[in-house]
Amino acid sequence: MLRVVVLVSGGGTNLQAIIDSVESGKIHDTKIVGVVSNNKNAYALERAKKHGIDQACVSPKDFETREVFNKELLKTVRAFSPDLIVLAGFLVVIPPEMIREYKNRMINIHPSLIPAFCGKGYYGLKVHEAALSRGVKIVGATVHFVDEGTDTGPIILQKAVEVEEDDTKESLQLRVMQQAEWKILPEAIDLFARGLIKVEDGKTVIQK
Ligand code: GAR
């Protein structure tokens, strides 16, 4: 049984997609053992509660320094003994120690086709705003392992989505979630749970 901890900051629609896929059996042999938020008002915490999933909130605002916060976040995550950490809209910089400890066992969903519209400053609606202002016709989402850089780790899955003439950043965000994020994030977790992802030379190999 794969033990998954999901880190969230906001609405938690990706968390919901994971919960639904675990409950329906689309994700095999997996349990969400905890949800950790940096924001006590995150609706994601409500979603976890409704499904009887343990939760914790660790906010940088409650700690004097980043170092103390980082230690507390790592301690909180470790307490769930996860096999896999999933960043599902978690908007806090991950402590370097945590990245090292969970190398190739921590994944992130990013709302663009990496390497487009990613890196520092590209998160949430800002990604879709940048895509619209550049006038790209195809956008999408990426699931990747987390390494020391921002959105630079080995890519696991990507899915493309077409931009429509009258898209706003909000309508584009929703379509990217519906058509890409809520599909490829559960799919990647299932591949991981079934031991089908290998990392070789900084790239993933998926066994079919
Ligand atoms: C999602 O679109 C996710 O891809 C994005 O935040 C949103 C969270 O929504 N993540 C990033 O931008 C990370 N760089 P959710 O809370 O409804 O899942």
Side-chain angles (χ1 to χ4, degrees), residues 10-15 88-89 91 108-111 122-124 173 177 181:
T13 64
N14 278 286
L15 169 67
L91 302 179
N108 178 49
I109 177 83
H110 182 76
Y122 286 102
Y123 58 89
Q173 179 183 51
M177 284 175 157
E181 297 185 43

Side-chain angles (χ1 to χ4, degrees), residues 120-190:
K120 274 211 172 78
Y122 286 102
Y123 58 89
L125 279 173
K126 287 184 193 292
V127 175
H128 305 290
E129 193 175 13
L132 285 178
S133 85
R134 182 62 184 86
V136 294
K137 306 298 182 196
I138 304 283
V139 290
T142 303
V143 182
H144 63 93
F145 282 111
V146 176
D147 70 3
E148 289 74 11
T150 307
D151 304 324
T152 53
I155 290 170
I156 303 169
L157 293 175
Q158 295 190 297
K159 194 164 192 302
V161 173
E162 280 184 30
V163 178
E164 290 175 5
E165 273 311 310
D166 57 353
D167 262 326
T168 59
K169 55 184 194 271
E170 290 82 9
S171 68
L172 190 57
Q173 179 183 51
L174 180 61
R175 214 166 49 261
V176 168
M177 284 175 157
Q178 288 170 330
Q179 295 183 7
E181 297 185 43
W182 301 342
K183 295 187 171 156
I184 62 174
L185 185 55
E187 203 179 321
I189 296 169
D190 182 54

Side-chain angles (χ1 to χ4, degrees), residues 58-77:
V58 191
S59 166
K61 289 184 199 143
D62 296 334
F63 298 90
E64 248 173 47
T65 64
R66 200 65 182 195
E67 285 68 35
V68 186
F69 163 76
N70 284 352
K71 278 204 175 117
E72 189 61 28
L73 181 65
L74 185 53
K75 198 172 118 192
T76 305
V77 167

Side-chain angles (χ1 to χ4, degrees), residues 2-5 33 76-84 102 105:
L2 184 83
R3 297 173 62 83
V4 174
V5 165
V33 291
T76 305
V77 167
R78 272 184 190 147
F80 290 111
S81 307
D83 303 307
L84 176 70
Y102 292 94
R105 295 194 295 142

